[in-house]
Amino acid sequence: MFVRQRFLKLGFYMKFYSLEQTQAVEKQKMNQDYKESREIGIIRLGKEHLYFRRMRKIYYVPYADIRRCFRRVMLVPARLCCGRGNLEVENLVICTDKGEAAQIQLPGAKAGKLLLEELRKRLPDAAFTPEHAKSE
């Protein structure tokens, strides 16, 4: 984390990658928006884009492209000190017009709930349930 903050302070230019395109885009406006964005885990919420890191790349999704987002909890079998058990892994799934665009692992359930609350404020027209979920 220290190295990343140091690069931001020194003004290094970051490369941003769109989920829809494979080409890298460098924009000063996106760089400033990324610096000022709110960070929740590896996700950052900017004014116009949702950013997330994978490996050394920073991907972005414009809020206008997001049609649906929801939490997905996956049970991962694990071998623990006292036997076997399942660990719950929290994910945020982002869907666009083309379907599921990204599944981003979150640090925990608290971060997932906080993130969805914040996205509800920024995306009033988006759905926040899985497509196959029953509506009652």
Side-chain angles (χ1 to χ4, degrees):
M1 183 147 135
F2 174 73
V3 174
R4 182 177 47 149
Q5 289 176 347
R6 186 172 163 209
F7 281 135
L8 289 175
K9 286 181 183 177
L10 293 175
F12 283 95
Y13 213 56
M14 295 178 283
K15 288 188 178 184
F16 297 95
Y17 297 86
S18 172
L19 284 178
E20 306 296 322
Q21 304 165 353
T22 56
Q23 294 181 354
V25 179
E26 292 184 339
K27 296 181 181 177
Q28 184 64 26
K29 185 178 176 184
M30 290 185 97
N31 195 16
Q32 187 65 27
D33 187 35
Y34 183 81
K35 286 180 190 177
E36 295 171 355
S37 62
R38 181 174 180 197
E39 184 174 8
I40 302 173
I42 63 166
I43 296 176
R44 285 182 171 248
L45 300 171
K47 291 180 183 176
E48 299 174 9
H49 298 91
L50 180 140
Y51 303 94
F52 64 95
R53 296 184 317 268
R54 277 214 181 121
M55 305 297 273
R56 293 181 178 232
K57 294 181 180 180
I58 300 170
Y59 291 94
Y60 67 92
V61 181
Y63 290 136
D65 291 352
I66 298 174
R67 300 291 173 246
R68 179 181 306 274
C69 55
F70 56 92
R71 289 172 45 209
R72 178 180 287 158
V73 179
M74 299 172 65
L75 295 175
V76 178
R79 189 171 157 184
L80 306 171
C81 62
C82 54
R84 293 188 160 266
N86 290 328
L87 297 176
E88 291 184 353
V89 178
E90 190 85 20
N91 294 292
L92 175 73
V93 179
I94 299 172
C95 301
T96 60
D97 289 334
K98 297 179 181 179
E100 283 190 18
Q103 180 172 311
I104 308 162
Q105 187 172 340
L106 299 173
K110 185 177 178 182
K113 290 174 185 175
L114 182 66
L115 189 59
L116 280 183
E117 278 181 32
E118 197 66 36
L119 285 172
R120 278 191 179 102
K121 294 176 188 174
R122 296 171 191 245
L123 303 168
D125 298 332
F128 289 93
T129 58
E131 195 168 2
H132 58 278
K134 295 178 184 177
S135 58
E136 298 180 46

